[in-house]
């Protein structure tokens, strides 16, 4: 049944096609395939209603928080989106299927006559210089309809009237939300494709129609990925039709399910990498871990989303400023959307000061769009480094645990020269210090030190690709059998508590492309030679690299020593704007890496292809050691 439903969705949502020869996914295209539609050149910033109010929302609460964003200067610092989450929908009117919102909660909506409209509400936000966001679901029904303990704030009416999700109404609803009501942002959840199976209590009770699940949060093999992608393609097409100026933003909120971590970057401006966050330190670690190794899967136009900021509650309230600051810094280093979740009408000034730190906001909003890369990785301490558009580096030292540490920060962590002075500016205290080679820093439990670093590049006359992940897109990463990620922290502090069987390992892109690491977290090494910088990826992969003004591409390539396939050979090829520029000989495990150096002056898009025999890619990781774009 699930497969038949998936096939129907593909036929219904995909453009007509004709029989053709199979397309070689490794063939160069000469074009950047990552998502750039809408308005997300930098990660979106703003406020979302869910963490503070869940479904208990109304006009006064929303506009009150919006007004505080304006009055405190946060709007001027980039917090623009005011997003309604679940709880706004009253019903789907029958028989025409028009969405009806809760006019009793949004009194300005009654100005439209018999059919309440959000247009006066969005007009108010726009007049304040803000943007407006709305919520929906891929299925017939929403997450709150599946999980709320009561139906107080839920859709009303008969079974069909309570079907307020996008399923079967994508074109109609997107037209209402954007062309008619004037919204600028939509967050699309996925519970409706997961939680309304024919045997679920909510369906057997007669309250909801069954929709055979085609998505499973914990098991990708029980998920119809093409069907889900087809729905997002239809949503995107509807957004383009209803926003001719391109002023819209699509947020994919399917929590890392359906292997979205590999393809979300091609379908939406924001893509959730984890289940919901909660105001607990352990849950922050879970959500952070789901995104921290995914720096190559984000770029200007599309960003990894470890969920909203929970600053203002629990472990991140005004009595836990160390944790609150860590939360903010880590999300900025991940280039995550900075979506405040607090009731800003009551938020203490100490927390408002965190939201308003302009120097840290600037890291999140840096136009280069480089998500930070792990320069040091352990269960206790992470060192994250981000290359900024100016050439400076942002460096965060994150203490994950309960003990203090003395941490040695090396110039090599920053890819700076070990013999030239480095200036560090603390982005909380603004204090400046200098060091050469290395410096020792003390870090308290749960603290994250954050600095802007100015120094001399270790690679003179160029940048390693791993320093600029925002310009690299793993169009094909070689993963054919998504595997659970054993490195993600697991906690009892999630939304389910200790109900069920526990927080099991989830599908987080394990085996995907990595900066300065193999796909499985090892250091890059070919025939015994280690490479501190480079790109690790699986065989039968294709990387797209944007080139602005480099004159030459260089790398040292080979099958990584971590490969368990010691039989099959891989050939490496470099293309420029679709034309072959250079290749390596066929290389097997244990063979010395080979240098590749090709001119790329005037080339806009470089493509790096590692082609193998079509065997088990996941046993054949390869390394683009010291891959770099050189200025001469």
């Amino acid at each position: 049944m699930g497969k038949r439903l998936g096939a129907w969705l593909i036929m219904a949502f995909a453009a007509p096609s004709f029989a053709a020869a199979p397309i070689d996914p490794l063939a160069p295209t000469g074009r950047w395939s990552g998502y750039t539609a809408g308005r997300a050149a930098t990660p979106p910033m703003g406020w979302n209603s869910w963490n503070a109010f869940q479904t208990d929302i109304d006009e006064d609460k929303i506009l009150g928080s919006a007004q505080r964003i304006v009055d405190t200067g946060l709007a001027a610092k980039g917090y623009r989106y005011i997003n309604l989450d679940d709880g706004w929908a009253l019903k789907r009117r029958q028989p025409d299927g028009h969405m009806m919102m809760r006019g009793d909660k949004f009194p300005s909506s009654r100005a439209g006559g018999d059919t309440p409209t959000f247009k006066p509400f969005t007009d108010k936000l726009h007049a304040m210089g803000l943007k407006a966001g709305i919520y929906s679901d891929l299925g017939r029904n929403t997450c709150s309809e599946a999980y709320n303990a009561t139906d107080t704030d839920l859709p009303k009416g008969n079974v069909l009237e309570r079907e307020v999700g996008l399923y079967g109404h994508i074109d109609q609803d997107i037209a209402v939300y954007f062309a008619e009501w004037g919204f600028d942002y939509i967050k699309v959840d996925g519970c409706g494709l997961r939680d309304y199976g024919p045997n679920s209590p909510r369906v057997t009770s007669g309250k909801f129609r069954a929709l055979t699940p085609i998505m499973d949060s914990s098991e990708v093999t029980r998920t119809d990925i093409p069907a889900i992608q087809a729905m997002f393609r239809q949503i995107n097409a509807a957004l383009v039709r209803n926003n001719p100026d391109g002023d819209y933003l699509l947020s994919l909120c399917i929590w890392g399910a359906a292997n979205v971590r590999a393809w979300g970057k091609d379908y939406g401006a924001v893509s959730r990498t984890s289940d919901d966050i909660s105001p607990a330190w352990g849950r922050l670690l879970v959500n952070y871990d789901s995104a921290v190794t995914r720096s190559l899967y984000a770029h200007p136009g599309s960003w990894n989303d470890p969920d909203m900021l929970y600053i203002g509650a629990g472990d991140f309230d005004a009595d836990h400023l160390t944790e609150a600051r860590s939360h903010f810094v880590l999300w900025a280093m991940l280039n995550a959307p900075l979506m405040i979740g607090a009731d800003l009408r009551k938020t203490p000034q100490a927390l408002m000061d965190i939201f308003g730190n302009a120097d840290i906001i600037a890291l999140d909003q840096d136009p280069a769009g480089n998500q930070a890369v792990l320069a040091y990785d352990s269960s206790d301490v992470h060192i994250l480094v981000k290359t900024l558009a100016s050439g400076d580096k942002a460096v965060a030292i994150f203490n994950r645990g309960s003990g203090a540490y003395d941490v040695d920060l090396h110039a090599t962590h920053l890819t700076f020269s070990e013999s030239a002075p480095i200036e560090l500016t603390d982005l909380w205290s603004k204090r400046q210090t200098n060091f050469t080679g290395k410096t020792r820093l003390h870090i308290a439990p749960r603290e994250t030190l954050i600095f802007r670093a100015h120094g001399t590049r270790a690679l003179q006359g160029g940048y390693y690709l791993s320093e600029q992940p925002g310009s690299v897109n793993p169009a094909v990463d070689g993963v054919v059998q998504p595997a659970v990620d054993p490195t993600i922290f697991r906690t009892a502090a999630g939304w389910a508590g200790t109900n069920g069987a526990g927080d099991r390992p989830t599908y987080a892109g394990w085996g995907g492309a990595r900066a300065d690491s193999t796909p499985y977290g090892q250091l890059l090494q070919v025939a015994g030679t280690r490479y501190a910088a480079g790109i690790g990826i699986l065989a039968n992969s294709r990387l797209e690299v944007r080139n602005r003004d480099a004159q030459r591409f260089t790398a040292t390539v080979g099958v990584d020593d971590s490969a368990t396939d010691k039989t099959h050979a891989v050939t490496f090829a470099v293309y420029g704007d679709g034309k072959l520029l250079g290749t390596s000989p066929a290389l097997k495990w244990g063979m010395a890496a080979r240098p590749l150096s090709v001119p790329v002056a005037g080339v806009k898009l470089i493509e790096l292809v590692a082609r193998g025999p079509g065997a088990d890619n996941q046993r054949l990781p390869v390394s683009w050691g010291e891959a770099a774009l050189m200025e001469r």
Side-chain angles (χ1 to χ4, degrees), residues 561-622:
D561 285 356
S562 62
T564 56
D565 181 342
K566 301 183 178 181
T567 303
H568 295 101
V570 177
T571 301
F572 298 79
V574 182
Y575 297 86
D577 293 335
K579 298 179 180 178
L580 182 64
L581 301 179
T583 61
S584 76
L587 299 172
K588 296 181 179 181
W589 181 89
M591 294 177 65
R594 297 296 183 92
L596 271 175
S597 179
V598 298
V600 293
V603 169
K604 299 299 183 185
L605 189 78
I606 301 164
E607 292 172 88
L608 310 179
V609 175
R611 190 183 291 271
D616 185 353
N617 297 344
Q618 275 128 298
R619 297 182 59 229
L620 200 52
V622 300

Side-chain angles (χ1 to χ4, degrees), residues 170-247:
I170 289 175
D171 294 330
Q172 179 183 20
D173 288 357
I174 296 297
V176 169
Y177 300 159
F178 287 84
E180 183 178 328
W181 288 351
F183 282 95
D184 311 286
Y185 182 120
I186 186 167
K187 171 183 171 182
V188 181
D189 232 331
C191 294
L193 299 184
R194 181 190 68 180
D195 297 314
Y196 295 88
N199 297 320
S200 69
R202 57 188 65 88
V203 170
T204 57
S205 71
K207 293 182 178 180
F208 301 96
R209 280 199 292 170
L211 185 63
T212 299
I214 62 169
M215 181 162 60
D216 190 304
S217 297
S218 60
E219 180 52 70
V220 73
T221 59
R222 293 193 290 262
T223 295
D224 192 335
I225 295 174
I228 294 166
Q229 291 174 326
M231 296 185 78
F232 280 120
R233 280 197 297 273
Q234 187 182 359
I235 292 170
N236 270 297
L239 286 168
V240 170
R241 281 195 304 273
N242 290 284
N243 294 270
D245 62 353
D247 188 4

Side-chain angles (χ1 to χ4, degrees), residues 299-613:
H299 58 261
S302 186
W303 309 100
N304 289 318
D305 178 16
D307 204 4
M308 295 168 282
L309 294 166
Y310 227 126
I311 294 168
D315 285 347
F316 311 107
D317 65 13
D319 294 325
H320 299 85
L321 291 181
T322 296
E323 290 85 350
R325 287 175 173 172
S326 285
H327 190 354
F328 193 66
V329 166
L330 294 171
W331 264 229
M333 291 296 282
L334 293 175
N335 284 3
L338 298 181
M339 289 292 172
I340 298 169
D343 182 352
L344 291 179
R345 302 170 304 169
K346 304 175 182 178
T347 301
Q349 188 59 44
L351 299 180
M352 297 299 290
D353 290 343
I354 292 175
F355 295 135
N357 186 308
D359 291 327
I360 296 173
I361 291 171
L363 304 184
D364 182 80
Q365 297 291 296
D366 187 77
N370 296 318
Q371 180 178 316
V373 171
L374 272 173
Y376 177 87
D377 183 6
S378 74
S379 294
D380 297 316
V381 173
H382 280 179
I383 298 178
L384 297 164
V385 176
K386 174 190 290 195
T387 302
L388 305 175
S390 65
D392 285 352
K393 302 294 179 85
V395 55
I397 304 172
F398 173 33
N399 186 345
R400 300 167 58 100
S402 57
Y405 287 93
D406 289 321
V407 174
D408 291 324
L409 176 65
H410 290 256
T412 52
H413 288 136
L414 302 166
T415 328
F416 279 164
S417 169
E418 295 181 88
S419 58
I422 296 170
E423 181 183 87
L424 289 181
T425 302
D426 186 309
L427 297 186
W428 291 116
S429 70
K430 316 307 178 189
R431 187 171 67 92
Q432 292 186 343
T433 57
N434 292 275
F435 74 95
T436 300
K438 73 173 182 178
T439 186
R440 177 159 288 189
L441 300 162
H442 184 77
I443 183 168
R446 296 186 175 182
E447 184 179 19
T448 303
L449 305 179
I450 179 65
F451 304 96
R452 190 177 182 113
H454 180 76
T456 302
R457 295 185 217 167
L459 180 63
Q460 290 295 299
Y463 284 98
Y464 294 118
L465 293 192
S466 57
E467 293 182 88
Q468 42 187 337
S471 295
V472 181
N473 178 41
V476 181
D477 64 11
V479 176
V480 293
Q481 296 176 338
V484 295
D485 189 337
T487 67
I488 292 181
F489 187 82
R490 295 184 291 125
T491 178
W495 63 271
T498 55
N499 297 302
D503 193 10
R504 300 304 174 96
T506 56
Y507 289 84
W510 186 239
R514 292 278 300 269
D516 297 339
S517 170
T518 72
Y520 302 110
Q522 299 296 314
L523 295 175
L524 302 173
Q525 181 172 301
V526 178
T529 299
R530 182 163 289 176
Y531 300 94
I535 303 291
I537 197 167
L538 299 176
N540 293 305
S541 56
R542 178 170 58 87
L543 293 160
E544 299 167 351
V545 181
R546 280 179 162 155
N547 180 34
R548 290 173 177 83
D549 52 16
Q551 303 294 300
R552 182 165 291 276
F553 168 80
T554 63
T556 305
V557 299
V559 174
D560 195 86
D561 285 356
S562 62
T564 56
D565 181 342
K566 301 183 178 181
T567 303
H568 295 101
V570 177
T571 301
F572 298 79
V574 182
Y575 297 86
D577 293 335
K579 298 179 180 178
L580 182 64
L581 301 179
T583 61
S584 76
L587 299 172
K588 296 181 179 181
W589 181 89
M591 294 177 65
R594 297 296 183 92
L596 271 175
S597 179
V598 298
V600 293
V603 169
K604 299 299 183 185
L605 189 78
I606 301 164
E607 292 172 88
L608 310 179
V609 175
R611 190 183 291 271

